[in-house]
Amino acid sequence: MPEFKPELQHRIMLRIERHERRKLIAKTAGFGVLFAGSVSLLVAAYFNLVSAADQSGFFSFASLLFSDFSIAMANFQDFAYSIIESFPAF
């Protein structure tokens, strides 16, 4: 039976720790890149949605709630239909 050097176990444990640390750094970097990409795509999608809502006239109809609230509530069905029609996602 071969005899092992006394520091062999210590060296093995250090190598395992280094390997696990490298895996953790790689995972953290990967998730960081994915997170940054997701946030940038979310911001781009938000600006695209706002632009489409502006072009469709959604904000013009929605502003009636603040300027002429009583008229908008008196004709709520027509107002709601106009809002839904102008919203680009619908």
Side-chain angles (χ1 to χ4, degrees), residues 43-64:
V43 168
Y46 172 75
F47 284 129
N48 190 15
L49 179 67
V50 169
S51 174
D54 188 37
Q55 289 175 358
S56 70
F58 173 77
F59 292 130
S60 299
F61 287 117
S63 69
L64 288 175

Side-chain angles (χ1 to χ4, degrees), residues 7 18 24 32 42 44 47 55 58 60 62-63 68 74 81 85 88:
E7 72 270 355
R18 276 188 297 202
L24 179 64
L42 184 67
F47 284 129
Q55 289 175 358
F58 173 77
S60 299
S63 69
D68 297 325
Y81 186 67
E85 255 186 355

Side-chain angles (χ1 to χ4, degrees), residues 2-16:
E3 291 189 29
F4 299 108
K5 294 182 181 178
E7 72 270 355
L8 180 62
Q9 182 181 5
H10 180 67
R11 288 176 51 201
I12 290 173
M13 293 305 293
L14 285 177
R15 184 167 225 174
I16 290 172

Side-chain angles (χ1 to χ4, degrees), residues 20-58:
E20 288 180 359
R21 189 175 302 128
R22 282 187 200 138
K23 279 187 357 183
L24 179 64
I25 290 171
K27 283 182 183 181
T28 303
F31 285 129
V33 167
L34 286 176
F35 179 73
S38 297
V39 168
S40 65
L41 289 176
L42 184 67
V43 168
Y46 172 75
F47 284 129
N48 190 15
L49 179 67
V50 169
S51 174
D54 188 37
Q55 289 175 358
S56 70
F58 173 77

